[in-house]
Amino acid sequence: MQRITTRNARFQQFQTLLTNRTKRGRAREFIVQGVRPITMAVEHGWTIRSLLYDASRPLSRWAEELMRGITTERIAMAPDLLAELSEKAEGAPEVLAVVEMEPDDLTRLRVDEDFLGLVFDRPTQPGNIGSIVRSADAFGAHGLIVTGHAADPYDPKAVRATTGSFFALPVVRTPSHREVGEWLDAERDRGRPVLVVGTDEDGECDASDFDLTQPVLLLIGNETAGLSNAWRERCDHVVSIPMTGSASSLNASNAASIVLYEARRQRLAKARG
């Protein structure tokens, strides 16, 4: 057990995991805040590198069981420092976890006859990534791919917005559409005909009129620019969400949730015969 009571070098290293994407990526670790996200990380087998806890007060039963159940580094931290790392306006949490990142390997996404995956192209808002992860988990998707120079799924804002679903769903980053295209071509060569379905206001049909029970990779474009030309060329089909009123478009995470729900609705109806 270690103890940190000042803003020493080790504490500053933890701070960079919150604020510095480059250093977070170099360390291959990130800070997880909250009881449910930490619990989900443990339940889904993620590697916990450190547990930071408030040694100035008795721990809850949950925290005690967490400490007993994991063999890892334990660091007793002053409450004010723990509160700073938790990014909470008031009060210090009992425990924070430093968790090892999973590899950015597209083979983490299991592709079979009912595959449902998503691509979020060049997202700018970490919160939108988190919201899409949460919806993807809720509606039975098999993973999310974040492409291009984009917001980081390991940003604490993104991880918090998933409310723990981040640890139940593969989330993979790729530099561009090319890596995803190569992966798709390899899957198709193995006899897994995944359709690439874009979402756009000028789609060829409504999402409800398209068969989403097939193996599908849904594309969600950048919040401002939409789908890139490269991704449009890669699409096998483009669907739209019917809208009324004066709104010109939907938030990216809202659009993703609607199409994911429609895919889930169709698949349940097909299973019921």
Side-chain angles (χ1 to χ4, degrees):
M1 187 191 75
Q2 299 183 40
R3 187 175 296 274
I4 296 178
T5 58
T6 64
R7 288 175 173 75
N8 60 15
R10 188 73 196 280
F11 175 79
Q12 291 172 33
Q13 288 176 351
F14 291 136
Q15 275 189 317
T16 64
L17 299 181
L18 295 175
T19 59
N20 191 309
R21 177 177 183 165
T22 300
K23 292 183 179 179
R24 187 165 57 231
R26 193 176 298 144
R28 300 292 305 169
E29 62 186 22
F30 61 111
I31 288 181
V32 179
Q33 306 151 329
V35 172
R36 178 170 170 78
I38 293 172
T39 300
M40 293 281 283
V42 173
E43 288 180 354
H44 288 276
W46 288 60
T47 299
I48 311 299
R49 290 189 173 177
S50 304
L51 290 173
L52 319 179
Y53 70 100
D54 181 356
S56 69
R57 56 174 169 164
L59 295 178
S60 67
R61 178 178 297 179
W62 168 79
E64 287 181 348
E65 290 177 354
L66 178 71
M67 292 289 186
R68 285 197 301 265
I70 300 174
T71 302
T72 191
E73 177 185 50
R74 292 168 174 75
I75 299 177
M77 188 169 285
D80 59 322
L81 301 182
L82 202 61
E84 194 170 327
L85 293 178
S86 75
E87 301 181 304
K88 293 177 67 175
E90 295 181 3
E94 284 189 295
V95 180
L96 297 174
V98 180
V99 180
E100 183 178 315
M101 292 181 181
E102 290 287 299
D104 286 310
D105 185 347
L106 288 166
T107 60
R108 290 176 57 208
L109 278 70
R110 176 179 56 85
V111 179
D112 53 25
E113 64 277 0
D114 68 344
F115 176 72
L116 177 61
L118 293 98
V119 169
F120 195 178
D121 184 40
R122 300 162 296 138
T124 59
Q125 301 297 323
N128 280 337
I129 298 175
S131 295
I132 287 178
V133 170
R134 187 175 179 180
S135 293
D137 183 25
F139 295 123
H142 297 95
L144 171 69
I145 304 167
V146 178
T147 60
H149 184 68
D152 184 14
Y154 290 96
D155 185 295
K157 296 184 184 68
V159 177
R160 281 199 302 270
T162 73
T163 65
S165 289
F166 186 85
F167 302 101
L169 186 87
V171 179
V172 177
R173 302 169 293 184
T174 68
S176 72
H177 66 283
R178 296 182 187 88
E179 295 79 14
V180 183
E182 291 169 0
W183 169 72
L184 278 172
D185 291 341
E187 292 294 337
R188 287 172 173 176
D189 289 344
R190 295 187 185 98
R192 298 167 181 137
V194 179
L195 286 177
V196 180
V197 179
T199 53
D200 187 84
E201 59 186 6
D202 296 320
E204 63 199 59
C205 67
D206 290 351
S208 59
D209 294 327
F210 186 83
D211 182 4
L212 293 169
T213 66
Q214 310 169 76
V216 167
L217 183 66
L218 297 172
L219 305 183
I220 306 298
N222 170 270
E223 294 96 330
T224 303
L227 291 174
S228 67
N229 290 332
W231 269 121
R232 285 182 183 277
E233 292 175 5
R234 186 77 205 198
C235 287
D236 298 303
H237 301 276
V238 179
V239 300
S240 60
I241 298 169
M243 297 191 305
T244 60
S246 60
S248 61
S249 63
L250 290 169
N251 172 276
S253 62
N254 290 341
S257 296
I258 291 169
V259 181
L260 283 166
Y261 169 78
E262 176 59 25
R264 181 64 174 164
R265 185 194 66 78
Q266 290 184 22
R267 289 167 184 229
L268 286 173
K270 183 177 180 180
R272 290 167 183 154

